[in-house]
Amino acid sequence: QVQLVESGGGLVQPGGSLRLSCAASGRIFSINAMGWYRQAPGKQREWVAAITSGGTTNYADSVKGRFTISRDNAKNTEYLQMNSLKAEDTAVYYCNADLRSSSRGPAYGYWGQGTQVTVSS
């Protein structure tokens, strides 16, 4: 069984920063891509950022230059550093990981439970 647990959400003023973490645990053989998504009230879940096992990163245009995704492969953990936060960044943030539980098994996508980020003065 695999679990992804997020932490680091909270309330921050516009212009402030937060760092989200997502730790994967359980039966893990290897982790391919990892990413972050978010869902604002009344809106569909949207992709925010992704990072490959080799460290290549991609970002949604709305967060490019403000957010930084990273990962620590030894700890099976990914991070999202969010700077210059805006009110429109308010959402529940979900982490995602594409991973294998064995050397011969297929890769599956797993989701965290979500962490609330609220940007407000």
Side-chain angles (χ1 to χ4, degrees):
Q1 191 170 355
V2 174
Q3 272 192 319
L4 271 62
V5 179
E6 297 124 337
S7 60
L11 173 64
V12 63
Q13 292 186 341
S17 298
L18 279 176
R19 189 192 195 208
L20 306 183
S21 299
C22 173
S25 62
R27 189 180 179 189
I28 299 171
F29 174 76
S30 64
I31 301 179
N32 302 324
M34 304 183 82
W36 290 92
Y37 290 72
R38 67 186 182 186
Q39 187 166 17
K43 295 187 177 181
Q44 290 188 331
R45 188 174 298 188
E46 64 173 357
W47 171 73
V48 174
I51 184 167
T52 67
S53 57
T56 300
T57 58
N58 281 289
Y59 299 92
D61 288 343
S62 58
V63 307
K64 201 171 294 183
R66 300 187 298 120
F67 290 11
T68 302
I69 188 171
S70 61
R71 62 191 283 174
D72 184 332
N73 291 330
K75 295 181 179 180
N76 291 334
T77 299
E78 65 169 327
Y79 307 94
L80 186 68
Q81 178 66 44
M82 305 184 293
N83 299 329
S84 302
L85 282 161
K86 305 175 182 179
E88 50 263 43
D89 295 317
T90 295
V92 177
Y93 284 71
Y94 298 90
C95 65
N96 172 268
D98 183 65
L99 63 88
R100 297 176 183 272
S101 293
S102 68
S103 61
R104 296 184 177 182
Y108 291 104
Y110 293 86
W111 292 90
Q113 81 286 355
T115 185
Q116 177 70 46
V117 171
T118 302
V119 184
S120 175
S121 54

